[in-house]
Amino acid sequence: MTDGPTTEPKGSTAAPETDLGAGSGRIVVDGRPIPFEPGDSVAIAILRAGESIGAGGTLCLAGDCGNCLVQADGVAYIRSCQAAPSPGLVVKRHPRVEMPPLPVVAEPNLTAPPVFSEVAVRRLEADLVVIGGGRSGTAAKEKAEAGGRDVSVLDAAAGDEVVAIYAGPMVVVRTPTGMLHVKAQEIVVATGAAEIHPVCPGSELKGLMTARAAERLHAAGVDLGENIVAVGKPPKGVPTKAIPGRLVRFDGDASGRVTAVVTADDAGQETTTTCDTVVLGLGRAPRDLLARMAGTAPVSVVGSAARKHELPPPPTYGVICPCSGTTVEDLAGAWDRGFGELELLKRASLAGVGTCQGGACLPHIRSWIAARTDGAAPAPFTARPASRQITLAEASAGTYIDAFRRTSLHDEHLALGGRMDRFGGWWRPWHYGDAVAEYWAVREAVSLGDVSTLGKLVVSGPDVVELLERLYPCNVADIKVGRSRYALLLNERGHVIDDGMILRDGETRFVLSFTSGGAANAEMWVRDWTETWGLRVHVLDQTMSLAAINVTGPLARQLLQRAGLADPPRFLGHIHADVAGIPCHVMRLSFTGEAAFELHHPIDRSVELWRALMELGRDLGIRPHGLKALFGLRLEKGHVIVGMDSEMDSTPRRLGMDWAVRMEKPFFIGKPALARTAPLPDHRRLTGFTMPGEAPTEGSPISSGGDIVGHVSGSWTSPLLGHAVMLGWLKRTPFPDRVEIDGRAAVVASTPFYDPEGHRARA
């Protein structure tokens, strides 16, 4: 095995499930200290203390099922039979029916960077990787080495727990010190066989275990009870009473523990045997999960994992999939609905989709299908990485991607108390401590907003007007130099993919703006169509080289005049001028509903400009505003945020923005689709809503007549209007006038909710 690039740890997660501790001490199980001894697993320590693991069901203590799952030090879905105990380890058993509870963070800071554990990762290369260090794995290793090959063995008992095989092939391994990624030329799976679990009435009771589990517990000195019975092949070295006959059911007491086992002879005569513990030797099934996730990778299977084991008798009653709680009756219901193929039956019934991916239930499912298909058992279904529930930190180990950029004003926001959040691919201030005060600064005074994240594209050349006329559904040729126009960007289906402004900077030069999240896609869109049509147009992306500050509010003009801009442009106009001594492209727009000026300028002057404006506006009540206030301001105006209010197939008609489309144009991208669908009824519409009191959570369902007919895309409790305003989707006709949101009555209302004539923005 050859070492490749290695990432050293700055911290690590708890020991992997297979790394059993060597010392002794006490763990804390559901709030009660429990001792453990050298060589114990968490499961053995719990059982030695006379406690039960999990909700019940057959224990295999080999990692093949989900019956011993616990939460260990806050990480759920840990197999306690393969987890190492350590002093002070906090263990919580999973609830009997429900999933483990999600962690609750007191007073969460939703705008702070997430707390994470950094997991070390090593990357290695190997000729041949053998997974499993038992007899068949050792034989495969020796045979390969005799042929001159370099062999690496990954054995869970040694702490190298293989959790996935991906194309490449790449083997992903959880180790005591982190994650190991092995790029292999060839892989041999020698993982042995798993023991069959029973499926019959009472199979969910406590006190059931496989033969190998009983052998292991007996060797560890764990008391299995006074009355131990064995059904099927008895365990080695464990004193049990063998019960002949076919397993029928288990009986239990009120605590959910087995008290008797019922068997039947060939004539159907039943015998009931009382017991404390039932040991089951019902046969074996190949443990080939890793091999079934490898696809076309060069993987071979040897030993018991490759052997064709006899399937158990088809079950007739009971829980067939302990992980999902799927019963034989559930399986039959899915089958009767037409899901007769294994992969479909799996999805329709949820059998085999749990934590063990069929480790306990797959043999029974195949046997059950075979009984209905003339004995033809289907091949096992495809397995999905990972074979164990790994944490997100383990899954992303070694991956360092800062997908969110920072504007040149990032440190200024932090200095002003900005609570940063991720939006549109950027870190942006969500608020500065008081979003309502920021709102009022925009409505009544003056405020600054960092809009450097907007897409900024310069397009120029002799064919630029032709390009833009084809790209946009609005008219472009009649835009005068120094003027601008709002525009939608459509795809060939007539769906809105972005929006922004078209600003004419010269006869053959335009500046295009786009949303923060859509800027990269919009640039690609413009470039691709330019090349497709063979037009003489130059495209320059200035998103990262230009910063932008939005100066907005009724006192915005006064502030800019103090900064040296004697005659700010009128609404939808734009000029090039110095502001506070810094060259700016000043654009008169409005997303807030108040007078607003975007100052686009070089990023290396951004901090200087921001500080100058903040100082000049001190006596004007200036303060910065974040996204929370901005989203509320835009909702009062009914402005749509593409990607937040819109959906993948939102057309201008569905968004109520037909006014932005000129169907009389000879051609534009999306026109044929819009013309074709125009005569058709449309059952979806984005509209406004109002309701008294606090605004409901964004995403809340909208109901009418007891049926869900849509959802809220944006909501805000308006300080000025004194009630909640919302944008949301109605997706069922006829569109109602009154609806119910969050259990309260709401009214469908037209937008804008604030200053519908637009006098404030044009002031």
Side-chain angles (χ1 to χ4, degrees):
M1 187 177 287
T2 305
D3 283 303
T6 302
T7 302
E8 294 302 327
K10 293 182 180 178
S12 63
T13 60
E17 296 170 352
T18 52
D19 181 30
L20 301 185
S24 60
R26 295 203 300 181
I27 59 176
V28 180
V29 180
D30 289 338
R32 191 168 72 86
I34 286 180
F36 64 88
E37 296 181 5
D40 277 357
S41 65
V42 169
I44 289 178
I46 293 174
L47 292 168
R48 179 182 285 109
E51 299 278 350
S52 59
I53 309 171
T58 304
L59 294 177
C60 67
L61 300 188
D64 295 316
C65 68
N67 291 336
C68 69
L69 295 176
V70 298
Q71 179 175 298
D73 276 351
V75 179
Y77 295 101
I78 295 295
R79 283 168 167 77
S80 60
C81 67
Q82 295 182 300
S86 58
L89 178 72
V90 177
V91 177
K92 295 183 179 179
R93 285 171 284 202
H94 283 194
R96 185 172 183 84
V97 178
E98 302 164 345
M99 292 183 291
L102 293 173
V104 177
V105 180
E107 299 182 2
N109 180 2
L110 300 179
T111 62
V115 178
F116 64 95
S117 298
E118 188 169 350
V119 178
V121 62
R122 284 192 306 140
R123 295 181 175 88
L124 305 174
E125 294 184 3
D127 177 18
L128 175 66
V129 168
V130 176
I131 303 174
R135 287 193 299 270
S136 57
T138 301
K141 172 181 179 294
E142 292 173 350
K143 180 180 178 180
E145 287 179 337
R149 302 192 67 177
D150 179 30
V151 183
S152 298
V153 177
L154 299 171
D155 188 25
D160 295 328
E161 182 187 22
V162 176
V163 298
I165 299 177
Y166 290 94
M170 184 178 74
V171 183
V172 179
V173 191
R174 178 161 49 191
T175 77
T177 58
M179 301 300 288
L180 173 65
H181 297 174
V182 184
K183 183 178 180 181
Q185 297 298 316
E186 186 181 346
I187 301 170
V188 172
V189 174
T191 46
E195 293 181 277
I196 298 291
H197 289 220
V199 176
C200 64
S203 58
E204 73 282 1
L205 292 171
K206 303 170 186 176
L208 312 181
M209 63 186 66
T210 65
R212 285 190 296 199
E215 292 167 4
R216 185 176 177 188
L217 290 172
H218 183 69
V222 176
D223 183 11
L224 299 181
E226 296 181 358
N227 191 0
I228 311 169
V229 300
V231 178
K233 186 177 179 180
K236 297 177 181 178
V238 182
T240 62
K241 176 184 178 182
I243 303 297
R246 172 178 52 85
L247 179 62
V248 176
R249 70 175 186 275
F250 302 102
D251 294 332
D253 58 19
S255 69
R257 185 169 183 87
V258 66
T259 57
V261 57
V262 180
T263 56
D265 58 21
D266 293 339
Q269 183 67 36
E270 294 186 356
T271 301
T272 300
T273 306
T274 60
C275 58
D276 300 321
T277 302
V278 181
V279 180
L280 299 151
L282 305 180
R284 299 185 180 183
R287 191 185 284 129
D288 58 353
L289 185 68
L290 291 170
R292 288 188 280 114
M293 69 176 61
T296 59
V299 175
S300 57
V301 187
V302 299
S304 297
R307 194 170 301 143
K308 186 175 181 180
H309 299 268
E310 184 179 351
L311 290 175
T316 58
Y317 187 84
V319 177
I320 197 168
C321 178
C323 296
S324 301
T326 304
T327 65
V328 176
E329 185 180 31
D330 296 330
L331 213 61
W335 181 276
D336 293 341
R337 294 196 303 273
F339 298 100
E341 197 273 332
L342 176 58
E343 293 279 2
L344 297 178
L345 186 66
K346 165 189 171 183
R347 288 160 174 77
S349 67
L350 299 183
V353 302
T355 55
C356 67
Q357 290 202 62
C361 65
L362 182 56
H364 296 287
I365 298 172
R366 296 178 65 215
S367 175
W368 188 88
I369 294 175
R372 285 157 177 74
T373 54
D374 299 325
F381 51 69
T382 302
R384 310 293 179 189
S387 64
R388 292 288 189 267
Q389 283 63 49
I390 58 177
T391 66
L392 289 177
E394 290 170 335
S396 61
T399 302
Y400 299 96
I401 300 176
D402 185 3
F404 296 90
R405 294 168 285 184
R406 300 182 178 189
T407 73
S408 53
L409 293 171
H410 187 86
D411 290 339
E412 294 298 301
H413 301 316
L414 295 178
L416 291 167
R419 302 285 293 273
M420 309 303 289
D421 202 354
R422 299 159 293 275
F423 189 83
W426 295 79
W427 280 104
R428 304 183 67 182
W430 181 242
H431 61 75
Y432 297 87
D434 190 344
V436 173
E438 297 162 30
Y439 164 90
W440 282 120
V442 176
R443 285 282 181 252
E444 300 300 330
V446 62
S447 179
L448 302 185
D450 183 1
V451 292
S452 304
T453 61
L454 294 173
K456 314 169 195 72
L457 217 61
V458 176
V459 289
S460 60
D463 296 333
V464 67
V465 173
E466 181 179 354
L467 169 69
L468 299 181
E469 287 284 10
R470 294 185 185 186
L471 279 178
Y472 287 103
C474 63
N475 293 320
V476 177
D478 62 346
I479 301 176
K480 297 179 180 179
V481 176
R483 300 295 294 167
S484 62
R485 180 166 294 158
Y486 173 80
L488 299 174
L489 198 64
L490 310 180
N491 62 17
E492 299 95 322
R493 297 175 179 83
H495 302 154
V496 177
I497 58 176
D498 210 342
D499 70 341
M501 301 299 298
I502 305 174
L503 303 99
R504 193 160 196 166
D505 217 17
E507 290 300 321
T508 59
R509 176 185 170 91
F510 290 78
V511 175
L512 312 178
S513 70
F514 303 100
T515 63
S516 301
N521 184 69
E523 181 201 2
M524 173 274 296
W525 190 255
V526 174
R527 290 188 186 277
D528 280 0
W529 282 112
T530 300
E531 295 177 6
T532 298
W533 291 325
L535 298 177
R536 296 170 295 169
V537 175
H538 301 288
V539 180
L540 175 63
D541 185 2
Q542 293 188 308
T543 302
M544 300 301 293
S545 61
L546 292 180
I549 296 173
N550 185 28
V551 183
T552 182
L555 303 182
R557 175 182 291 271
Q558 183 177 344
L559 175 62
L560 291 178
Q561 288 173 335
R562 290 185 180 185
L565 187 63
D567 188 18
R570 60 191 179 92
F571 188 65
L572 294 183
H574 60 100
I575 61 173
H576 292 270
D578 287 352
V579 178
I582 297 167
C584 296
H585 189 177
V586 184
M587 307 173 183
R588 177 71 189 275
L589 318 166
S590 182
F591 193 59
T592 63
E594 305 295 336
F597 303 83
E598 286 184 12
L599 311 180
H600 292 235
H601 55 278
I603 58 171
D604 61 343
R605 306 292 299 276
S606 195
V607 172
E608 180 185 351
L609 179 59
W610 177 275
R611 291 177 177 176
L613 293 171
M614 289 293 290
E615 181 62 30
L616 290 169
R618 186 183 298 245
D619 64 322
L620 299 178
I622 193 171
R623 66 190 307 157
H625 65 271
L627 290 179
K628 185 174 182 179
L630 179 63
F631 288 171
L633 292 159
R634 70 94 187 182
L635 275 170
E636 292 181 355
K637 290 296 294 181
H639 291 318
V640 171
I641 296 180
V642 175
M644 183 171 169
D645 299 301
S646 66
E647 298 179 329
M648 294 295 292
D649 60 349
S650 294
T651 60
R653 176 171 60 165
R654 288 173 177 167
L655 294 172
M657 302 177 74
D658 301 80
W659 52 266
V661 178
R662 295 289 178 263
M663 291 298 292
E664 66 273 13
K665 288 181 61 174
F667 173 79
F668 58 83
I669 295 291
K671 180 181 177 180
L674 294 181
R676 184 175 63 254
T677 57
L680 303 177
D682 203 332
H683 303 287
R684 282 188 274 174
R685 189 78 77 244
L686 182 73
T687 187
F689 302 87
T690 62
M691 66 188 305
E694 294 293 316
T697 303
E698 292 178 353
S700 295
I702 300 173
S703 301
S704 177
D707 296 328
I708 294 177
V709 297
H711 71 275
V712 175
S713 64
S715 61
W716 170 250
T717 306
S718 172
L720 179 63
L721 302 177
H723 55 74
V725 295
M726 293 156 282
L727 286 178
W729 283 93
L730 293 176
K731 298 186 176 182
R732 187 177 301 179
T733 53
F735 298 126
D737 295 325
R738 295 180 178 275
V739 295
E740 186 177 277
I741 305 173
D742 195 27
R744 295 178 287 156
V747 177
V748 178
S750 60
T751 58
F753 305 107
Y754 170 76
D755 187 26
E757 296 80 15
H759 296 316
R760 304 274 295 188
R762 292 174 170 81

